[in-house]
Amino acid sequence: MKNLMYLFCLSLFFFSCGSDDDSVIEDPLQNNSPYYMTFTESGNNYDSRASIGVGVDGAIIEDPNFLALALGTDFVTNNGDFLAVIITLEGNSSDGFGSGFEVNGTNDDFVLEFIYSKSNLSGTVDFSGSAHDDSVYLKILSIDRDNKIISGNFSFTAVSDTSSQTRTVTNGFFNINYQ
């Protein structure tokens, strides 16, 4: 069930990112979008608003017996790095989900996972991995269910697909319009 829901949320994320409202920003410094993601990795600060070709989207399914959250961004930095961050959260109940909701590390009630990928425009993959252990952290700062806007903080340490490298992402913040 977990893998099926994860696949559903990931599919919904990618389909919604392919909509016509995603636009390529000719001057990255003019991206004044209220929806964005920021974080620090390897001493570099990344902000999807200061980039080219931004995709930022999310989906939430809330039910008394189920919760699914998928948030993500992909963008090209000014120096040619292609970055992608996907956050997924799944739980058996949506009770307590809202402003102040927090998952810190592994948890019996919620499965929190991050996927992080970094490559360059020529296709060379610098890093691709995931995190779903004691290093994961997510806090919902606010959720506006009427306007479908969610904001929060996150951090994680991703392990590469080959288990040979790690990348630590800190100071994560998102403000995302969700479906």
Side-chain angles (χ1 to χ4, degrees), residues 31-70:
N31 183 357
N32 295 321
S33 172
Y35 310 118
Y36 62 96
M37 189 177 288
T38 65
F39 58 92
T40 302
E41 187 263 315
S42 297
N44 296 311
N45 296 319
Y46 296 106
D47 186 331
S48 65
R49 294 170 297 183
S51 63
I52 303 167
V54 180
V56 179
D57 221 335
I60 299 176
I61 300 171
E62 291 182 88
D63 183 87
N65 300 311
F66 187 73
L67 171 69
L69 166 75

Side-chain angles (χ1 to χ4, degrees), residues 96-132:
F97 182 72
S99 298
F101 176 84
E102 190 171 20
V103 176
N104 192 3
T106 56
N107 185 313
D108 290 336
D109 298 321
F110 297 95
V111 175
L112 176 62
E113 184 169 18
F114 292 84
I115 297 172
Y116 179 62
S117 180
K118 183 177 183 181
S119 61
N120 61 39
L121 292 176
S122 67
T124 303
V125 176
D126 179 51
F127 182 84
S128 179
S130 63
H132 48 82

Side-chain angles (χ1 to χ4, degrees), residues 35 142-145 147-151 175-178:
Y35 310 118
S142 68
I143 184 166
D144 179 344
R145 289 179 174 87
N147 294 306
K148 298 188 179 266
I149 300 169
I150 186 168
S151 65
N175 191 59
I176 295 178
N177 183 248
Y178 65 89

Side-chain angles (χ1 to χ4, degrees), residues 126-129 158-167:
D126 179 51
F127 182 84
S128 179
V159 177
S160 69
D161 297 336
T162 62
S163 299
S164 63
Q165 299 176 11
T166 62
R167 294 290 189 274

